[in-house]
Amino acid sequence: MVAITPPGPIDEESPATPLASGRKETRRQRLLMNLQRMPSASSLRLVGRSRSASSPYSTRGNLSCVSLSPSHVLESYPSGSITPGYFSNSRSSATGNPFFDIPAFGSAEARMPRKIANISTTHLSPTTASLPAEYAATRSRSATARKVPFEFWARMPHEIRIYILSFLGPKELVRVSRLSKEFHEFCFDGQLWTHFDATEFYMDIPAEALAKIIVTAGPFVKDLNVRGCLQIEHYKRAEVIAKACKNLMNATLEGCRNVQRSTLHNIIKANEKLANLNLTSMPAVTNSTCKIIAQHCPQLQTLNVSWCKNMDARGVKMVIRGCPKLRELRAGELKGFNNRAVAETIFTTNRLERLVLSGCVDLDDEAFRTMIHGSRPEFDILTDRPIVPPRKLRHLDLSRCSQLTSGAVAVLGHLVPDLRGLQLSGCVSLTDSALQPILASAPLLTHLELEDLSELTNDLFSEHLAKAPCATRLEHLSLSYCENVSDTGMLPVMKNCISLESVDMDNTRIGDLVLTEAAAMVRNRSTRASSRNSRPRIGIKLVVYDCQMVTWTGIREILSWNAEIRQPSEGAATYPTEIIGLKCFYGWQQTVEQHTQRVLKGDFAAAARLERKWADYMQAVEEAGVGGAGLRRRRRRAREAQQLHADEEVGAVGRRRARTVASSCAVM
């Protein structure tokens, strides 16, 4: 291999000699070694492409993509020694065009590719048009380098990630856990399962997954609700709860019928912080279970053992004695409440605020009196009232306690000043004398249920309830099947009880006057809206089906009030903000519901049109039922009115439903 030495300075004035031509040839070779490919765009200079065809290193490309790169070798020579015509120097030491006189490269160094530094767009070949320097796009290597993505989730603090996932429900957490192992670990973090309510999703996941969630989140679970959950009824899966859940505060095991007694006892023993416990309809609950509750649950505040057939009132007595913070006891359908010791315990402790004894048929007058004022109280000579501390009861449910009489229930008078809810439905032997002292001494009463008390009269409602201290606070009143109650008793109630939100009066003797008074009461207590876009709400619900004295005119009065738009002579129109929800005779109920839907949507014009056509239809039906001349004409008018009403109720599109003719109801 022949070594090529760098040339020395050239004297352009000296004549051409063989040595000079050799040096010129060497310079030409080195010049051609700097021929490099130049892309047509400056942004593609750094992108790898095939070399030009004029380059000795490749066979592809074309001659138009070559240029002269600046080199340290050429910089030491005058510009006139290179190809003439390319630069401003007019003198040249060689003739001919070097682009067509390319010598062969015999050395390996000549064939070796060289890396050329970044070239400005101003150093382009003559065959390529270059942009001026001020318009040439410049791009640095740092700008073209791909930025490393910011791992937002990975760099987020653990607490924030848990807080974000806390907004997901149980179903969503199980689905998100399938994304990756990391998300699986996060989704089953115990902090997300402090409130475990399996009633929402237990039908959608297998028993193994449910058991896994309980095992993973067990130490963190505080609120557990597995009501009716069939997956844990197997004794092995129930044991999972007993072993994993150690910090329960609220537990609902209602309806878990196959849970073993030992498993239930282990759950209670392992959770001494229990505050609310629901064991409704569990066969595993016995008096021994109540004893364990009394020993291991000192923080218990609420207990529900209704419909537990394998226990009686003696177990309730142990819980009341052993749990000093117990405030709510639900013991419906239990036996043994005629036991004087149980009643004496309830009276002595005097801690219960809610007592539910519905369906306790063994509860008699003597036991109930003992619960309220003890076995042998002292009586005031002037008032003939027992001198005992007032009871803390706020809600008392004695529904279907059939052995109670008026004398026993009247004992509540003046001894329950904080009473807010009283349920006496089904105590068929009660009369007005049982409720008179209660209404006079319970100023906070808001809920009163007197269903199926057929012995009550109008005097109780007109003279006592309407004038009672609780009249302005009363919100819910149930008089269903009180067959002796009529307009005489209910008109004062509707007028004075201005806070009523629900009144059940089905199967009574009330008539249209009560409905009219109810509409007037709502009209007086509600405000009017000046904006047409306002949407009303249902302020009071009335149940008046199977009432013989209620006719379609009373129903129309309610519908008319619901859609009333007042247009004063001076000022803007006003719209209702509170309407009456009505449940009436089934032949009219569909029209009432359609009318209510239109009013709630704010379409008062359509509601008024429906009410008017329904009234025309009902009037035509009544006229068609009258005999005499013009019978056919009246019947035809009734059919036409029925058709118009049906078209208005259904609308322009849709299938017309079958209607029930109002005159077919014999009761009405």
Tab-separated table of all heavy atoms in Angstrom, residues 16-42:
chain	number	residue	atom	x	y	z
A	16	ALA	N	4.727	23.765	-14.873
A	16	ALA	CA	4.255	22.406	-14.549
A	16	ALA	C	5.365	21.420	-14.758
A	16	ALA	O	5.991	21.376	-15.823
A	16	ALA	CB	3.060	22.055	-15.416
A	17	THR	N	5.654	20.635	-13.741
A	17	THR	CA	6.677	19.591	-13.769
A	17	THR	C	6.026	18.286	-13.409
A	17	THR	O	4.904	18.248	-12.846
A	17	THR	CB	7.800	19.926	-12.767
A	17	THR	OG1	7.239	20.002	-11.464
A	17	THR	CG2	8.465	21.268	-13.142
A	18	PRO	N	6.690	17.188	-13.694
A	18	PRO	CA	6.100	15.898	-13.279
A	18	PRO	C	5.836	15.818	-11.802
A	18	PRO	O	4.844	15.270	-11.359
A	18	PRO	CB	7.161	14.878	-13.752
A	18	PRO	CG	7.875	15.556	-14.855
A	18	PRO	CD	7.893	17.014	-14.546
A	19	LEU	N	6.751	16.424	-10.991
A	19	LEU	CA	6.500	16.401	-9.540
A	19	LEU	C	5.279	17.229	-9.189
A	19	LEU	O	4.461	16.858	-8.360
A	19	LEU	CB	7.731	16.920	-8.803
A	19	LEU	CG	7.638	16.972	-7.268
A	19	LEU	CD1	7.382	15.579	-6.730
A	19	LEU	CD2	8.916	17.581	-6.679
A	20	ALA	N	5.188	18.355	-9.889
A	20	ALA	CA	4.025	19.209	-9.612
A	20	ALA	C	2.738	18.547	-10.034
A	20	ALA	O	1.711	18.648	-9.373
A	20	ALA	CB	4.207	20.555	-10.318
A	21	SER	N	2.753	17.868	-11.166
A	21	SER	CA	1.529	17.171	-11.595
A	21	SER	C	1.162	16.053	-10.641
A	21	SER	O	-0.011	15.768	-10.396
A	21	SER	CB	1.724	16.643	-13.030
A	21	SER	OG	2.777	15.690	-13.036
A	22	GLY	N	2.226	15.385	-10.093
A	22	GLY	CA	1.909	14.337	-9.111
A	22	GLY	C	1.258	14.885	-7.875
A	22	GLY	O	0.328	14.317	-7.316
A	23	ARG	N	1.821	16.036	-7.443
A	23	ARG	CA	1.190	16.659	-6.277
A	23	ARG	C	-0.230	17.129	-6.585
A	23	ARG	O	-1.128	17.036	-5.766
A	23	ARG	CB	2.051	17.837	-5.829
A	23	ARG	CG	3.384	17.418	-5.262
A	23	ARG	CD	4.194	18.638	-4.903
A	23	ARG	NE	5.469	18.248	-4.326
A	23	ARG	CZ	6.417	19.122	-3.969
A	23	ARG	NH1	6.195	20.439	-4.123
A	23	ARG	NH2	7.572	18.707	-3.458
A	24	LYS	N	-0.406	17.644	-7.823
A	24	LYS	CA	-1.757	18.087	-8.200
A	24	LYS	C	-2.719	16.914	-8.249
A	24	LYS	O	-3.879	17.018	-7.882
A	24	LYS	CB	-1.685	18.791	-9.548
A	24	LYS	CG	-2.976	19.473	-9.942
A	24	LYS	CD	-2.857	20.126	-11.298
A	24	LYS	CE	-1.734	21.181	-11.284
A	24	LYS	NZ	-1.629	21.879	-12.584
A	25	GLU	N	-2.197	15.795	-8.691
A	25	GLU	CA	-3.057	14.607	-8.735
A	25	GLU	C	-3.428	14.178	-7.319
A	25	GLU	O	-4.551	13.752	-7.061
A	25	GLU	CB	-2.316	13.479	-9.473
A	25	GLU	CG	-3.206	12.312	-9.858
A	25	GLU	CD	-4.114	12.693	-11.004
A	25	GLU	OE1	-3.859	13.720	-11.649
A	25	GLU	OE2	-5.122	11.975	-11.231
A	26	THR	N	-2.482	14.257	-6.419
A	26	THR	CA	-2.776	13.890	-5.025
A	26	THR	C	-3.804	14.829	-4.430
A	26	THR	O	-4.720	14.405	-3.703
A	26	THR	CB	-1.489	13.923	-4.205
A	26	THR	OG1	-0.540	13.059	-4.802
A	26	THR	CG2	-1.755	13.484	-2.766
A	27	ARG	N	-3.670	16.107	-4.718
A	27	ARG	CA	-4.655	17.051	-4.205
A	27	ARG	C	-6.034	16.772	-4.768
A	27	ARG	O	-7.041	16.913	-4.096
A	27	ARG	CB	-4.222	18.480	-4.560
A	27	ARG	CG	-2.989	18.941	-3.789
A	27	ARG	CD	-2.881	20.447	-3.853
A	27	ARG	NE	-2.816	20.915	-5.213
A	27	ARG	CZ	-1.686	21.074	-5.903
A	27	ARG	NH1	-0.523	20.774	-5.350
A	27	ARG	NH2	-1.709	21.556	-7.134
A	28	ARG	N	-6.082	16.381	-6.050
A	28	ARG	CA	-7.372	16.064	-6.665
A	28	ARG	C	-8.018	14.866	-5.995
A	28	ARG	O	-9.228	14.828	-5.768
A	28	ARG	CB	-7.175	15.823	-8.150
A	28	ARG	CG	-8.477	15.554	-8.912
A	28	ARG	CD	-8.214	15.408	-10.377
A	28	ARG	NE	-7.609	16.631	-10.923
A	28	ARG	CZ	-7.162	16.749	-12.179
A	28	ARG	NH1	-7.216	15.729	-12.998
A	28	ARG	NH2	-6.638	17.882	-12.592
A	29	GLN	N	-7.213	13.870	-5.655
A	29	GLN	CA	-7.772	12.697	-4.975
A	29	GLN	C	-8.337	13.068	-3.605
A	29	GLN	O	-9.421	12.634	-3.219
A	29	GLN	CB	-6.685	11.627	-4.831
A	29	GLN	CG	-6.266	11.002	-6.155
A	29	GLN	CD	-5.194	9.957	-5.966
A	29	GLN	OE1	-4.806	9.677	-4.832
A	29	GLN	NE2	-4.696	9.399	-7.075
A	30	ARG	N	-7.557	13.873	-2.922
A	30	ARG	CA	-8.047	14.269	-1.600
A	30	ARG	C	-9.287	15.165	-1.705
A	30	ARG	O	-10.162	15.151	-0.837
A	30	ARG	CB	-6.942	14.998	-0.851
A	30	ARG	CG	-5.791	14.073	-0.496
A	30	ARG	CD	-4.727	14.820	0.264
A	30	ARG	NE	-3.637	13.933	0.638
A	30	ARG	CZ	-2.556	14.306	1.314
A	30	ARG	NH1	-2.432	15.579	1.670
A	30	ARG	NH2	-1.610	13.438	1.617
A	31	LEU	N	-9.339	15.942	-2.757
A	31	LEU	CA	-10.517	16.773	-2.970
A	31	LEU	C	-11.759	15.926	-3.201
A	31	LEU	O	-12.827	16.166	-2.628
A	31	LEU	CB	-10.281	17.712	-4.149
A	31	LEU	CG	-11.500	18.503	-4.630
A	31	LEU	CD1	-11.975	19.456	-3.527
A	31	LEU	CD2	-11.140	19.285	-5.897
A	32	LEU	N	-11.596	14.910	-4.043
A	32	LEU	CA	-12.747	14.049	-4.344
A	32	LEU	C	-13.137	13.179	-3.154
A	32	LEU	O	-14.251	12.669	-3.092
A	32	LEU	CB	-12.430	13.178	-5.567
A	32	LEU	CG	-12.241	13.945	-6.877
A	32	LEU	CD1	-11.858	13.004	-8.007
A	32	LEU	CD2	-13.522	14.687	-7.222
A	33	MET	N	-12.194	12.962	-2.252
A	33	MET	CA	-12.539	12.184	-1.051
A	33	MET	C	-13.522	12.929	-0.165
A	33	MET	O	-14.213	12.344	0.660
A	33	MET	CB	-11.266	11.860	-0.253
A	33	MET	CG	-10.393	10.792	-0.905
A	33	MET	SD	-8.840	10.599	-0.044
A	33	MET	CE	-9.440	10.106	1.541
A	34	ASN	N	-13.577	14.274	-0.351
A	34	ASN	CA	-14.495	15.065	0.473
A	34	ASN	C	-15.858	15.262	-0.170
A	34	ASN	O	-16.670	16.047	0.323
A	34	ASN	CB	-13.871	16.435	0.758
A	34	ASN	CG	-12.724	16.320	1.728
A	34	ASN	OD1	-12.923	16.130	2.914
A	34	ASN	ND2	-11.517	16.425	1.197
A	35	LEU	N	-16.046	14.636	-1.355
A	35	LEU	CA	-17.372	14.719	-1.992
A	35	LEU	C	-18.382	13.920	-1.163
A	35	LEU	O	-18.214	12.720	-0.982
A	35	LEU	CB	-17.312	14.176	-3.432
A	35	LEU	CG	-16.540	15.024	-4.431
A	35	LEU	CD1	-16.462	14.326	-5.781
A	35	LEU	CD2	-17.228	16.367	-4.603
A	36	GLN	N	-19.349	14.551	-0.657
A	36	GLN	CA	-20.345	13.888	0.192
A	36	GLN	C	-21.741	14.183	-0.338
A	36	GLN	O	-21.950	15.151	-1.082
A	36	GLN	CB	-20.245	14.398	1.641
A	36	GLN	CG	-18.941	14.057	2.306
A	36	GLN	CD	-18.757	12.563	2.484
A	36	GLN	OE1	-19.728	11.826	2.560
A	36	GLN	NE2	-17.523	12.110	2.501
A	37	ARG	N	-22.626	13.357	0.053
A	37	ARG	CA	-24.032	13.504	-0.344
A	37	ARG	C	-24.657	14.651	0.436
A	37	ARG	O	-24.449	14.800	1.622
A	37	ARG	CB	-24.788	12.214	-0.040
A	37	ARG	CG	-26.283	12.271	-0.314
A	37	ARG	CD	-26.884	10.908	-0.009
A	37	ARG	NE	-26.568	10.492	1.349
A	37	ARG	CZ	-27.276	10.838	2.411
A	37	ARG	NH1	-28.319	11.594	2.264
A	37	ARG	NH2	-26.924	10.423	3.606
A	38	MET	N	-25.437	15.457	-0.261
A	38	MET	CA	-26.167	16.559	0.383
A	38	MET	C	-27.652	16.397	0.099
A	38	MET	O	-28.058	16.437	-1.070
A	38	MET	CB	-25.680	17.909	-0.162
A	38	MET	CG	-26.513	19.095	0.337
A	38	MET	SD	-26.393	19.310	2.120
A	38	MET	CE	-24.699	19.841	2.240
A	39	PRO	N	-28.512	16.206	1.102
A	39	PRO	CA	-29.953	16.098	0.830
A	39	PRO	C	-30.507	17.424	0.372
A	39	PRO	O	-29.956	18.484	0.639
A	39	PRO	CB	-30.536	15.684	2.181
A	39	PRO	CG	-29.536	16.150	3.170
A	39	PRO	CD	-28.193	16.052	2.505
A	40	SER	N	-31.629	17.339	-0.301
A	40	SER	CA	-32.246	18.534	-0.856
A	40	SER	C	-32.888	19.406	0.195
A	40	SER	O	-33.196	20.552	-0.056
A	40	SER	CB	-33.303	18.144	-1.902
A	40	SER	OG	-34.279	17.318	-1.303
A	41	ALA	N	-33.142	18.902	1.384
A	41	ALA	CA	-33.732	19.683	2.467
A	41	ALA	C	-32.786	19.671	3.645
A	41	ALA	O	-32.195	18.637	3.959
A	41	ALA	CB	-35.090	19.127	2.876
A	42	SER	N	-32.728	20.793	4.335
A	42	SER	CA	-31.795	20.877	5.461
A	42	SER	C	-32.220	20.012	6.623
A	42	SER	O	-31.413	19.592	7.424
A	42	SER	CB	-31.680	22.331	5.919
A	42	SER	OG	-32.964	22.787	6.323
